Amino acid sequence: MDEDVMLGFETSDDCAVYKLRDDLVAVLTLDFFTPVVDDPYEFGCIAASNALSDVFAMGVKPLAALNILAFPVALGTSVVAEVMRGGSDKVREAGAFIVGGHSIDDDEPKYGLAVFGTAHPDEILRNGGAVSGDVLYYSKPIGMGIMNSAFAAKMEDDQSMRPAIEAMMELNRYAAEAFEGLDVHACTDVTGFGLAGHLHEMLEPSKMAAILDWDNLPLFDGVYNYSAIGCRPGRSYDVQEWAEEFVRKGTLSEEEYNTRMGVLCDPQTSGGLLLALPPEQGPAYEAKFEELLGRKPARIGEVTDGPTGTIFIR
């Protein structure tokens, strides 16, 4: 591989990184998916926020983005226009610009972005690098996949889904701005592999384990109960089967363990940032986060010595 490729597909990091010169790297990512909400504008906002998150998770500011659009022609231009308006608004909020893109006729709608940013090589955050004693923070409520399943089962309505939709549309720009100037040792965004999977991907390259404080996890209302009755995305069961190799059951009953795993393995659409930083810097991060977002981030656990990649629930 070219020696200027600093990060590629061989790791689980959020973006590719290519060295342009000794003091400047290009940061690139892309993401797109099918609609998760009915409103086309909100779908555009969510898909764009999700794609931009990869750049924010690396501590980088996005500069430009390209639209990725697949829509059936039969839907007409008004729906597509609303999707792209949502995406454009979020890109603008992120401080970047839409500079083009590509579209195709496809029976199954899809939308997302390819995102480009630049940074000094020393400023890039990786998903590895956490050290024993670091505290773990998470920036959004957990349970977006479960909430969408509950909505599909008519257990939630348009009004009760608003907190989840607002969370999915929220840019991780502000969660990232809150840790500027702090010694963040590792950071990633939480998406399709759930909190357990993405935390594991942080711990493995760090050669660390972690303890999660269950009572401190920021769950949407109803998520625990929905998990208990099996109202979950089908993908979460695949994630759980994998995660059972590294999430310890401890003294939990089989029923309680399965319920908690349903939450920890819930795929998140446009999820929050998960980061590890020294405990003495926690108050500064919390204060800045609250200033920017009007709430505190959730302090969900700590990094510890132990079997590499293992997660213990406290």
Side-chain angles (χ1 to χ4, degrees), residues 130-136 202-203 208-211 276 301-305:
V131 301
S132 184
D134 278 351
V135 291
L136 295 168
M202 177 183 287
L203 297 172
M208 289 283 127
I211 300 170
E302 63 191 50
V303 179
T304 185
D305 295 313

Side-chain angles (χ1 to χ4, degrees), residues 135-249:
V135 291
L136 295 168
Y137 281 97
Y138 188 62
S139 67
K140 289 186 180 183
I142 297 168
M144 294 162 181
I146 290 174
M147 292 299 291
N148 281 322
S149 293
F151 180 76
K154 302 189 184 306
M155 296 178 179
E156 297 283 339
D157 57 27
D158 290 340
Q159 183 175 355
S160 64
M161 279 294 292
R162 289 316 305 173
I165 293 172
E166 294 295 331
M168 288 188 285
M169 291 195 296
E170 180 183 285
L171 282 179
N172 279 322
R173 168 183 178 173
Y174 311 105
E177 287 180 353
F179 61 60
E180 288 181 0
L182 301 179
D183 300 319
V184 177
H185 291 152
C187 186
T188 189
D189 65 333
V190 174
T191 51
F193 294 110
L195 178 62
H198 289 281
L199 176 55
H200 176 71
E201 289 184 338
M202 177 183 287
L203 297 172
E204 276 211 315
S206 304
K207 301 188 185 308
M208 289 283 127
I211 300 170
L212 284 181
D213 292 319
W214 175 260
D215 290 340
N216 290 343
L217 296 184
L219 309 186
F220 289 110
D221 289 345
V223 160
Y224 178 85
N225 291 333
Y226 289 137
S227 180
I229 62 174
C231 182
R232 301 165 48 183
R235 176 175 166 79
S236 71
Y237 292 96
D238 295 330
V239 176
Q240 179 174 337
E241 184 177 357
W242 167 58
E244 285 174 352
E245 298 177 6
F246 52 81
V247 180
R248 294 292 177 260
K249 179 181 176 183

Side-chain angles (χ1 to χ4, degrees), residues 70-75 104-110:
F71 259 78
V73 172
L75 279 181
I104 63 169
D105 180 17
D106 192 337
D107 289 339
E108 186 173 27
K110 305 172 188 71

Side-chain angles (χ1 to χ4, degrees), residues 13-93:
D13 281 284
D14 295 293
C15 299
V17 179
Y18 188 88
K19 185 172 75 172
L20 300 174
R21 57 176 192 251
D22 288 344
D23 64 344
L24 187 68
V25 296
V27 179
L28 308 101
T29 189
L30 67 86
D31 208 327
F32 61 95
F33 48 69
T34 56
V36 293
V37 292
D38 293 332
D39 185 277
Y41 175 80
E42 291 180 343
F43 169 50
C45 289
I46 292 168
S49 296
N50 180 72
L52 290 159
S53 287
D54 286 343
V55 175
F56 291 128
M58 300 198 82
V60 176
K61 291 180 172 61
L63 297 176
L66 299 169
N67 283 316
I68 302 167
L69 184 71
F71 259 78
V73 172
L75 279 181
T77 59
S78 60
V79 173
V80 172
E82 281 298 283
V83 172
M84 295 180 67
R85 184 171 71 89
S88 179
D89 282 353
K90 282 299 171 179
V91 171
R92 189 179 304 110
E93 184 184 344

